[in-house]
Amino acid sequence: MMIETTGRPFSRVRHPAWVRLTHWTGAAATLALMVSGTAILLALPKLFWGETGANDAPAWITLPLPVDLEQTGWARNLHFLAAWIFVLNGAVYLALALLRGHLRRRLLPEPAEIRPRALAGEIRAHLRLRGGAPPTGRYNALQKIAYLVVLLVLAPLMLLTGLTMSPGVTAAWPELFTLFGGRQSARTIHFLAAFAMVAFLAIHIWQVLANRPLALMRGMIVGSGGKGEETA
């Protein structure tokens, strides 16, 4: 979504239907993953490194959460379903973004945008709550970098570590154990990546609420706005 806080005339990019559909499908899947993932985590609110771990074993990280063993049944079923919706939806988005040039035009930073001075200026602007899209409605460099990290790093990492926790998958591809250092290591990386995703979503939602939320939501729901909009 575009963020505009400069006081200039509000310029928005018109999101095509496939962007809006994959955005909201991904949002629904992510919400289901967060709810079910939290219920799963409560069964063992500790993070370990290596192959084994238990509630009565010393942990690498102990989370200040209560132990609840009663929610894992429905939570694992929902998590499995939502995870594959998330993966397939993400694959469709990535394929269309590549085929339609969306990834190159909208998400790849320009060389001038990632120069240290330019990035430092954007960081200062965001810290002063002035971060947002330039008058053209383009994503700024920090937004582009954040979206690319989510799309190309966090999402694949969560998928691979999630598969590593499945005995059936690792029986066929034991190389995943070598890649992540064991089942519990994969679980730890999985939850740390999920925490990073939640942090990204919190910042994303905060920016939307702080910067013309009705206009931003309208653009992402119906994809229409004023004249002179650019198609993403």
Side-chain angles (χ1 to χ4, degrees):
M1 290 185 182
M2 301 297 98
I3 307 298
E4 172 62 61
T5 61
T6 61
R8 301 183 181 91
F10 189 47
S11 175
R12 298 187 301 273
V13 170
R14 186 169 187 261
H15 299 289
W18 66 270
V19 169
R20 287 178 277 128
L21 179 61
T22 54
H23 175 275
W24 291 113
T25 302
T30 299
L31 178 60
L33 287 170
M34 290 170 59
V35 172
S36 57
T38 300
I40 294 170
L41 183 61
L42 291 178
L44 182 60
K46 295 183 176 183
L47 300 178
F48 303 87
W49 201 261
E51 176 55 30
T52 60
N55 274 317
D56 57 354
W60 181 49
I61 298 176
T62 299
L63 301 172
L65 298 172
V67 177
D68 186 348
L69 302 176
E70 303 299 324
Q71 309 299 322
T72 55
W74 68 265
R76 290 184 183 279
N77 291 334
L78 177 60
H79 205 73
F80 181 83
L81 175 62
W84 283 114
I85 293 174
F86 182 88
V87 168
L88 294 175
N89 181 72
V92 169
Y93 173 85
L94 184 58
L96 289 173
L98 289 170
L99 289 174
R100 295 173 177 266
H102 178 85
L103 188 68
R104 174 181 54 80
R105 293 194 314 270
R106 304 283 295 125
L107 297 181
L108 288 182
E110 300 292 336
E113 293 179 315
I114 56 176
R115 291 174 181 167
R117 180 174 296 181
L119 285 177
E122 284 195 7
I123 292 172
R124 287 194 299 269
H126 277 73
L127 291 176
R128 293 194 300 267
L129 306 184
R130 295 178 182 176
T136 59
R138 295 283 186 178
Y139 292 119
N140 62 49
L142 292 181
Q143 288 173 313
K144 292 178 180 180
I145 292 170
Y147 294 148
L148 287 175
V149 168
V150 168
L151 184 63
L152 303 179
V153 179
L154 292 182
L157 190 60
M158 286 191 293
L159 170 62
L160 291 175
T161 52
L163 292 175
T164 306
M165 288 186 279
S166 170
V169 172
T170 50
W173 291 286
E175 296 83 5
L176 288 171
F177 281 136
T178 303
L179 179 62
F180 294 110
R183 196 181 309 277
Q184 288 298 324
S185 298
R187 178 178 180 270
T188 295
I189 296 171
H190 186 81
F191 279 110
L192 291 178
F195 294 152
M197 179 76 81
V198 171
F200 163 80
L201 292 174
I203 295 172
H204 177 69
I205 293 172
W206 165 70
Q207 286 198 327
V208 170
L209 294 177
N211 297 278
R212 303 177 186 263
L214 294 180
L216 291 170
M217 291 293 291
R218 182 173 182 271
M220 187 54 76
I221 292 173
V222 301
S224 63
K227 296 181 179 180
E229 286 184 336
E230 177 187 354
T231 301

